[in-house]
Amino acid sequence: MTLLMPILNLHLVYISFLKNKVVFSHNFPFEKNYRTYFQDKDTSYYFKPFLNKNTTISIQIEYALYNKNLCVSYGKHLFIVSKYKVKAHRIFKSIVTKLKYDRSGNLWVCTYNNGVYSFPDSRISVDAKFNLLKDRTITSFYQDNAGAYWISTMKNGVYYIPSLNFNIKDELVDNFVNNIVAGNNKIWYSTGKNKLGYFDSITKKQYNLSNSSTFKISDLIYDVNKKELWGGFERFAGFFYINFETDTFITSISKNETKITVKSLLLNKSTIIVGGSAHLSFFRNKNYTCVLTKKFKIPAHTIHFGKANNEIWIGNRDGLYFFKNDSITYFGEKNELFKKRVVKLIYERSNDLLWVATKDSGIYMVKDDIVKSITENEGLSGNNITALYVKNNKVWVGTTNGLDQITITDQEKHIYEIQHFNENKGLVSNIINDIAVIEPVVYIATNKGISFFNYKNVKKNYIAPPIYITDIKINNKDTVLQDSYILPYGLNNIDIKYVGLSYKAPKEVTYQYQLEGLHAEIQTTFSNNLEFSLLPPGRYNFKIYAVNEDGIRSKEPKEIQFIIKPPFYMTWWFIGFIALLLIFITGSIFRIINRIKLKEIRKRNQVEKNLIKERQKALGQQMNPHFIFNTLSSIQNYLYKNDRIFSSVYLEKFSQLMRNTLYNSQEEFILLKDELKSLSAYLELEQIRLNNKFEFKIETDNEIDIYLIKIPAFLIQPYVENSVWHGIN
């Protein structure tokens, strides 16, 4: 774009622009009636300069173009030009140094020694929405993709603002705010210095109550019907109320019995219900004089109505209780979860839903007999709950780590979404003491003041943080960053450092990683480094993602591959060599064993042959051919003589002897009784053959058990046979 300025028809002065930056400026005289022309493509703009006649000055021109609206400044002057005409003109206290539009079309005007101004929709004729860094010289302004603001100054560095949706209430009675409640179009708050104050949410005025109590205010509650504010005191100071019609502050302590320590308050028409450090008390309010009507001994640190006003939920250090018809039920006996210390209770009658906030176990969503626990594991900022507010399916949860907004999307299935708010997003403190809401503005009481914001303007951060690997150590030694590594055996201790860039919430960046080859599942960590020790040989692929404060993960992971070589004894060539060697050794051993076995078989066969020979020899000795021939001849002789009986007896004894002999020949050792039986049969045959030339009798020693002792087969018979043949024949 080029600025053409005709001066008294004498010459033209050109001021050229390149990519929205002035690259040339010039000293020249101005005449009041001469026009200045701005030309951008097919659109021309012109206006008369607001300078004195015949004035010679040095001007630096800035311009910005948005939606065909041209914003031009020189010196302290700022012009909005549209359709060939100047639509608005503003003179600042100091020189304009830079003009910028943000992503929403808001005009930002940087000035010398007077900060930066913000004008929605370029409406410079009205007061600026913001005037930031009022005593600084601003040199430039930039809004990044995440919606955060960067402001550079001349001598004071660069400022980073994560969000402008969050505001801090200034000029409070005290910045330590422990209670806050909305009522009568005002925000009421109590402070750590035992003061009570309020400010108007419309006019943003602020007041102090001169007669505030010196005791610490423990609770505030607003009566919508009577438009009254009630509060309770610590240390047996009772309670008070404020009448808005008379704007008077009245401490309702007309009876000694009202001097109790108040932890929590409920209002039911003319009845004031007080949860105290030791009792649940009921007072009748008669013309703002409170009279105790009944009292129950139970610590009631937090109380809330149930389905009806005669039902009260009670929370204390021991857990959850329920009061109805002067009877108290302890829910800790029904469910272990209800034994946790309860710090806040809210019952939603419209949804029949009880919200229970605990000291260190998150919150419970209770409906009928179903209990849904929401803790850090489910996305809560912390388990130590300090404040609770419920309205329109939105649950505001205060913790020591910031504020959470739980939006119920499906009550029956207990489906919800959680959005986090903390110092990184703009809160004055992460320690939340109390919460109040005047739709759509949320007011947060903290130890450092009151933060407030329009929650509908706070958008989820959908900008995924880029992830970078910054350092790798292998066996505790720095290594050059690479996409892949091939490591020898022994270099298997790997330390990886990384960072996910999120200027908006750097402390809330989490990481999801996976080491393929070691574990398949994706794991989560808050640390910015991981150590893998003693990795076995193999191929690994490391993946790391960065996740921002709203759960948006990097689109692509950062990856590094590792190959750890096996030791030489695990390489394929070594294993192959060992396999071949084992095959050779095994084959050799088998051959040697086979040879030994073959020798043993041959030796055993030879022994068996010899044994058979010996058996045959022994059998031959026992079955002497002469004995067999003579025996058969004797039988033949009896047959010739037609002595059938004697031949039959002789033949039977002979066959019995043959059977015993053949049976005993199969055994190496036989019982002594079998040997004696065969021997007796033999002698009987010989006695018959020799016509009773001898008599015999076989005797054994009494100490010899013939039924147990075994002897070699055919051991005795040869000796007896020799005796018969050589002694008698």
Side-chain angles (χ1 to χ4, degrees), residues 82-93:
S82 177
K83 294 183 179 180
Y84 312 102
K85 295 182 180 180
V86 175
K87 295 295 185 181
H89 170 234
R90 187 185 185 99
I91 302 176
F92 289 87
K93 296 179 182 179

Side-chain angles (χ1 to χ4, degrees), residues 271-383:
T271 300
I272 304 169
I273 306 169
V274 179
S277 57
H279 297 88
L280 176 67
S281 305
F282 293 78
F283 293 87
R284 185 178 71 254
N285 178 16
K286 186 175 182 180
N287 297 324
Y288 302 105
T289 299
C290 298
V291 179
L292 179 66
T293 58
K294 53 184 177 180
K295 181 169 62 174
F296 299 89
K297 189 175 182 179
I298 179 175
H301 299 159
T302 178
I303 56 178
H304 203 278
F305 285 123
K307 293 181 179 180
N309 287 353
N310 66 334
E311 298 178 354
I312 299 175
W313 290 97
I314 303 171
N316 58 30
R317 292 185 179 183
D318 298 324
L320 180 66
Y321 294 82
F322 181 70
F323 174 89
K324 184 177 181 181
N325 298 329
D326 297 345
S327 177
I328 298 175
T329 303
Y330 180 45
F331 270 66
E333 295 177 351
K334 299 180 180 181
N335 193 322
E336 289 292 325
L337 292 175
F338 296 138
K339 291 183 178 181
K340 302 293 184 180
R341 180 177 178 179
V342 178
V343 296
K344 192 71 176 178
L345 287 167
I346 293 180
Y347 178 78
E348 285 187 279
R349 289 183 178 177
S350 59
N351 294 323
D352 187 22
L353 194 63
L354 176 66
W355 293 91
V356 182
T358 68
K359 179 67 174 177
D360 55 10
S361 301
I363 62 174
Y364 306 144
M365 184 168 52
V366 185
K367 186 168 186 177
D368 300 327
D369 294 329
I370 301 174
V371 181
K372 173 65 177 179
S373 176
I374 305 177
T375 65
E376 286 185 11
N377 295 332
E378 287 75 36
L380 215 59
S381 292
N383 289 333

Side-chain angles (χ1 to χ4, degrees), residues 230-487:
W230 287 79
F233 293 114
E234 293 274 8
R235 299 178 62 184
F236 303 98
F239 41 88
F240 65 90
Y241 84 97
I242 295 176
N243 189 314
F244 291 111
E245 292 182 357
T246 59
D247 201 19
T248 56
F249 178 91
I250 301 175
T251 55
S252 183
I253 310 177
S254 59
K255 301 285 185 180
N256 290 332
E257 59 192 7
T258 64
K259 293 184 178 181
I260 60 175
T261 296
V262 178
K263 293 291 185 181
S264 183
L265 288 172
L266 288 177
L267 300 177
N268 180 19
K269 296 181 179 179
S270 61
T271 300
I272 304 169
I273 306 169
V274 179
S277 57
H279 297 88
L280 176 67
S281 305
F282 293 78
F283 293 87
R284 185 178 71 254
N285 178 16
K286 186 175 182 180
N287 297 324
Y288 302 105
T289 299
C290 298
V291 179
L292 179 66
T293 58
K294 53 184 177 180
K295 181 169 62 174
F296 299 89
K297 189 175 182 179
I298 179 175
H301 299 159
T302 178
I303 56 178
H304 203 278
F305 285 123
K307 293 181 179 180
N309 287 353
N310 66 334
E311 298 178 354
I312 299 175
W313 290 97
I314 303 171
N316 58 30
R317 292 185 179 183
D318 298 324
L320 180 66
Y321 294 82
F322 181 70
F323 174 89
K324 184 177 181 181
N325 298 329
D326 297 345
S327 177
I328 298 175
T329 303
Y330 180 45
F331 270 66
E333 295 177 351
K334 299 180 180 181
N335 193 322
E336 289 292 325
L337 292 175
F338 296 138
K339 291 183 178 181
K340 302 293 184 180
R341 180 177 178 179
V342 178
V343 296
K344 192 71 176 178
L345 287 167
I346 293 180
Y347 178 78
E348 285 187 279
R349 289 183 178 177
S350 59
N351 294 323
D352 187 22
L353 194 63
L354 176 66
W355 293 91
V356 182
T358 68
K359 179 67 174 177
D360 55 10
S361 301
I363 62 174
Y364 306 144
M365 184 168 52
V366 185
K367 186 168 186 177
D368 300 327
D369 294 329
I370 301 174
V371 181
K372 173 65 177 179
S373 176
I374 305 177
T375 65
E376 286 185 11
N377 295 332
E378 287 75 36
L380 215 59
S381 292
N383 289 333
N384 186 5
I385 310 303
T386 56
L388 187 66
Y389 186 93
V390 181
K391 189 175 182 181
N392 300 332
N393 284 332
K394 291 189 181 296
V395 183
W396 297 91
V397 182
T399 73
T400 53
N401 296 325
L403 177 71
D404 293 325
Q405 180 197 51
I406 302 176
T407 303
I408 308 299
T409 57
D410 191 326
Q411 189 177 119
E412 296 298 327
K413 296 181 180 180
H414 297 127
I415 300 176
Y416 54 87
E417 295 179 352
I418 299 179
Q419 190 171 0
H420 306 290
F421 306 92
N422 50 33
E423 292 179 3
N424 292 327
K425 284 194 172 182
L427 292 185
V428 67
S429 173
N430 283 339
I431 301 177
I432 312 300
N433 296 328
D434 205 357
I435 305 166
V437 177
I438 299 179
E439 286 287 342
V441 180
V442 182
Y443 297 86
I444 311 300
T446 75
N447 293 350
K448 297 180 180 180
I450 296 176
S451 287
F452 62 96
F453 62 95
N454 185 333
Y455 70 85
K456 292 184 178 180
N457 291 338
V458 179
K459 306 301 181 183
K460 193 173 183 179
N461 182 10
Y462 289 98
I463 304 300
I467 180 73
Y468 298 95
I469 293 178
T470 59
D471 185 40
I472 291 182
K473 289 184 179 180
I474 300 176
N475 280 17
N476 208 30
K477 292 184 178 180
D478 287 327
T479 306
V480 177
L481 291 177
Q482 299 175 184
D483 293 333
S484 62
Y485 297 85
I486 300 177
L487 305 174

Side-chain angles (χ1 to χ4, degrees), residues 639-651:
L639 292 174
Y640 285 150
K641 292 179 178 182
N642 203 20
D643 191 351
R644 296 179 179 178
I645 296 175
F646 206 78
S647 62
S648 177
V649 171
Y650 198 82
L651 183 60

